[in-house]
Amino acid sequence: MSRKLKVVILVLLAALTALVLLSWNRPQRVDMTAYVPADSLVYVEVNSLPDVLEGVTSSDAWKRLAPAAGVKSDVSGFGRLSKVAYWTGAGSAETVVLARAQLAFVVLGFQASEEPGSSLKITPRAALVAETHTGESRVRPLVERWAGDLASRMFGATRVERKDLGGAAVTVWASQENPRRKVVAGVADTLAVVGNDETAVVACLAVRRGERQSLAGDARLRESRARVGGSDALAFGYAPAGSAAKVLESTAPLYVEQISEDPKTQSILASVVPRLADRLLRSAAWGARVRDGAFEDRYLLELPEGVSARLGASLTAAPEAAEGAYSLLPADAYQVSRYGYADPAAAWAGFRAAVSSQVDTLHAPLVSLALESLLKPYGIEEPREFLAASGGEIVTARLDGESESKVLIVRARDAEALRAQVRARLGEGARAETAGGQEMLVSRDAEGGAASFVGEYLLMGGGEDVRRCLEARARGETLDKARPYTSARARADGTPAQVSTVTSDAEYAADFVNYFAPRGGERRDEEALRRELAALPYSVAETRLGETGFEKRTVSAFGLLGEIITRYGPRR
């Protein structure tokens, strides 16, 4: 055998050995639902942090904004090292864990507390579960350091205690000011669990030991995952049937006071709303991915059998008009929602009947009360009469992100009936003014607002908002001509939707890219950043009624996943 042939054989053997070792060391992806309790109320999984960061940096918004914000393209700090760490397990413990970890976030319940001088506070009992695919000897010190740092940032001074709870060794960092505020961490082999409640962490560790049933047996979860494309998504979320009722049972006291000031009514609503949610809502799911340079989120809200068919008879979607309500809004309107129904009055009656049918006759009137309260901020006191006089396009808009005031635009079906209702709303003594060449009626009462009939549309809202809309229309500076809006509409599905919403992504995208921006800002170009943000397409969301429930699709700069990272991710 020649020397050259021996060298070739040795090289081939070395390459084969390397491939075998890489294959041996490469982590095998697991089903994270097998690591969390079956009675979890909310479940969210991310199977690869490097994939998420790659999705972020490949998006059009990131490519436009990051250079102006002075952010390097490789925000993860991993680069090629993460791939090496993933395949070989070589590198620092932090690099290996971040490259390999599969994550699941779960909410197992809620706890209410009322501290002196403050209102009722609802806190979820939650845990972050990580399959690190890394040995416990490397994982435990890293997790305890991270958890300790988190506790210090959240609470300041802490008291550290190591416990054995139900056969699980956990470490607890409790606030010295309020011992009920905690960070709890436990590690078992390659699994790490960090939460804000001891029972939540212990429950997840018990599932790992096979002592508690896991969420993996939920057949509806598998079906929902397929419906929202969760199998190959960057992130997937799921809420089992019954979760909505349990969540609302805990949080209802926070919002029923906004529906009625009567304590008795508030008490009844706090009781009936969770019951209604339990009967009307089944499971919910979410999947996120990057498609055509933008983040696409898909949501599924399943309804009980037969409810979708019943709603479908009345919630028939109407196509969008070529020159519609968007031509009455300023070019920089912050958020606009369009409700397109062939017959708005029938849609309202059908929806109210479908919801009311899920409760007994004693509580049915409260359903109507709750639904009617949603329209009162727009000046609609009698929904049935107002919607009967309205055509198939109803639009609500917030002109500014900082303001909660909204304007309402409806296509008139019966203009005279609408005029009579507007006069009743504005009250006696309403004065006529001119704005943008259009007549505008303004109430003497500051809370009465203003209204204007423009062509076949009625525009209602606060006086300054209505004036702003009319003046923008006169200048030709309207939303339907603005590039961020037209770019967003190009991303729409193209088929009629019951509800469609466009929202300025500028502020949210700025928060996201600034999350990764280095301190000091030496490479930052503020003028270029403002210019790119102003040209950023609006996010677009479309909701449709499907065979089993409501389906929603949103396309935006960084999606719900980006909001989660910005709000809950660790700061660099």
Side-chain angles (χ1 to χ4, degrees):
M1 184 181 298
S2 66
R3 183 176 181 181
K4 181 182 290 186
L5 182 59
K6 290 181 179 179
V7 171
V8 170
I9 292 175
L10 288 173
V11 170
L12 291 175
L13 287 174
L16 180 61
T17 301
L19 287 174
V20 170
L21 289 175
L22 287 174
S23 178
W24 182 269
N25 284 309
R26 186 187 69 170
Q28 299 299 314
R29 180 168 291 188
V30 300
D31 180 2
M32 291 301 294
T33 60
Y35 291 77
V36 301
D39 57 352
S40 299
L41 301 182
V42 178
Y43 169 82
V44 178
E45 71 176 30
V46 174
N47 283 307
S48 172
L49 291 175
D51 284 354
V52 170
L53 291 170
E54 183 178 347
V56 168
T57 56
S58 68
S59 67
D60 292 342
W62 181 266
K63 293 175 182 177
R64 295 176 61 171
L65 301 176
V71 184
K72 295 181 180 179
S73 59
D74 181 19
V75 297
S76 68
F78 292 164
R80 296 176 182 175
L81 290 178
S82 65
K83 296 180 180 179
V84 173
Y86 176 85
W87 280 91
T88 67
S92 68
E94 184 174 79
T95 301
V96 173
V97 168
L98 292 177
R100 289 183 162 190
Q102 292 178 247
L103 305 176
F105 173 80
V106 291
V107 175
L108 297 176
F110 292 86
Q111 52 192 15
S113 61
E114 187 170 358
E115 299 178 6
S118 64
S119 58
L120 184 67
K121 182 179 181 181
I122 306 297
T123 305
R125 294 191 297 107
L128 179 68
V129 183
E131 172 50 78
T132 65
H133 299 286
T134 307
E136 182 173 345
S137 60
R138 302 184 75 184
V139 172
R140 183 178 292 278
L142 180 65
V143 170
E144 292 188 350
R145 175 164 61 84
W146 280 347
D149 290 345
L150 174 63
S152 296
R153 290 197 301 271
M154 292 175 62
F155 313 141
T158 60
R159 178 173 54 85
V160 183
E161 183 179 2
R162 298 184 184 276
K163 299 181 179 181
D164 189 295
L165 300 174
V170 300
T171 304
V172 180
W173 291 262
S175 167
Q176 290 189 3
E177 291 187 0
N178 184 354
R180 288 180 297 181
R181 302 184 65 193
K182 302 174 181 178
V183 172
V184 185
V187 178
D189 196 14
T190 61
L191 188 74
V193 184
V194 179
N196 65 346
D197 180 81
E198 295 171 4
T199 61
V201 172
V202 170
C204 295
L205 293 173
V207 173
R208 176 70 168 79
R209 296 193 302 268
E211 299 172 357
R212 186 165 176 164
Q213 187 176 358
S214 76
L215 192 59
D218 191 325
R220 186 166 288 142
L221 181 147
R222 294 191 293 272
E223 296 173 5
S224 299
R225 188 193 292 272
R227 293 280 298 277
V228 299
S231 299
D232 60 350
L234 294 176
F236 168 72
Y238 177 72
S243 295
K246 294 177 182 177
V247 171
L248 290 172
E249 187 176 356
S250 300
T251 60
L254 298 178
Y255 62 83
V256 295
E257 60 185 22
Q258 301 176 16
I259 298 176
S260 173
E261 297 180 356
D262 179 33
K264 184 177 180 180
T265 301
Q266 291 180 6
S267 177
I268 296 175
L269 284 173
S271 172
V272 74
V273 168
R275 187 184 313 170
L276 179 63
D278 188 43
R279 296 182 181 181
L280 191 62
L281 305 179
R282 296 176 74 183
S283 62
W286 158 67
R289 64 184 46 74
V290 175
R291 178 172 294 176
D292 298 328
F295 272 78
E296 180 187 75
D297 293 292
R298 293 172 60 189
Y299 303 86
L300 172 66
L301 180 62
E302 284 198 299
L303 302 176
E305 187 174 353
V307 173
S308 289
R310 181 173 181 176
L311 288 172
S314 55
L315 300 186
T316 303
E320 191 169 319
E323 294 184 2
Y326 300 100
S327 64
L328 297 177
L329 293 167
D332 58 352
Y334 174 73
Q335 183 180 69
V336 183
S337 294
R338 175 187 181 273
Y339 304 85
Y341 301 105
D343 187 338
W348 172 264
F351 184 77
R352 186 178 61 181
V355 174
S356 298
S357 68
Q358 302 301 310
V359 298
D360 53 47
T361 55
L362 177 64
H363 294 105
L366 291 174
V367 173
S368 297
L369 174 65
L371 292 176
E372 290 174 4
S373 69
L374 299 177
L375 298 180
K376 287 185 178 180
Y378 302 103
I380 302 176
E381 298 292 339
E382 300 293 338
R384 182 183 302 176
E385 289 77 3
F386 185 87
L387 295 174
S390 303
E393 187 174 25
I394 300 173
V395 169
T396 64
R398 288 174 60 194
L399 303 187
D400 297 296
E402 297 79 15
S403 174
E404 290 299 322
S405 65
K406 298 181 180 181
V407 297
L408 173 71
I409 304 173
V410 299
R411 184 191 295 271
R413 171 178 292 173
D414 185 340
E416 288 306 312
L418 282 180
R419 287 182 187 277
Q421 294 180 49
V422 167
R423 285 194 293 268
R425 166 66 180 175
L426 298 180
E428 295 183 5
R431 66 183 185 275
E433 299 181 3
T434 300
Q438 296 290 326
E439 183 182 69
M440 168 180 162
L441 296 176
V442 183
S443 173
R444 294 179 60 185
D445 183 355
E447 295 184 359
S452 177
F453 282 87
V454 184
E456 58 182 334
Y457 286 94
L458 164 64
L459 170 65
M460 295 176 60
E464 291 303 315
D465 287 343
V466 172
R467 182 182 300 278
R468 180 176 166 186
C469 290
L470 295 176
E471 292 177 347
R473 177 179 178 274
R475 295 192 304 269
E477 299 174 357
T478 51
L479 186 62
D480 61 326
K481 299 175 182 177
R483 182 180 173 186
Y485 169 76
T486 57
S487 299
R489 295 306 303 170
R491 293 172 167 178
D493 183 84
T495 58
Q498 276 85 6
V499 183
S500 60
T501 301
V502 294
T503 307
S504 171
D505 246 358
E507 182 179 350
Y508 155 62
D511 288 342
F512 182 82
V513 76
N514 286 334
Y515 174 86
F516 297 97
R519 294 180 179 178
E522 296 85 355
R523 299 186 300 272
R524 192 178 183 90
D525 186 337
E526 293 290 353
E527 181 59 34
L529 183 59
R530 281 193 294 270
R531 186 169 58 249
E532 293 294 348
L533 287 170
L536 201 65
Y538 277 23
S539 67
V540 57
E542 299 173 298
T543 302
R544 296 176 175 83
L545 180 64
E547 294 182 359
T548 62
F550 288 102
E551 301 174 3
K552 181 179 178 180
R553 171 181 176 265
T554 70
V555 181
S556 60
F558 301 111
L560 177 60
L561 194 56
E563 185 173 348
I564 293 173
I565 293 173
T566 305
R567 184 170 298 184
Y568 302 108
R571 294 291 171 181
R572 298 175 67 200

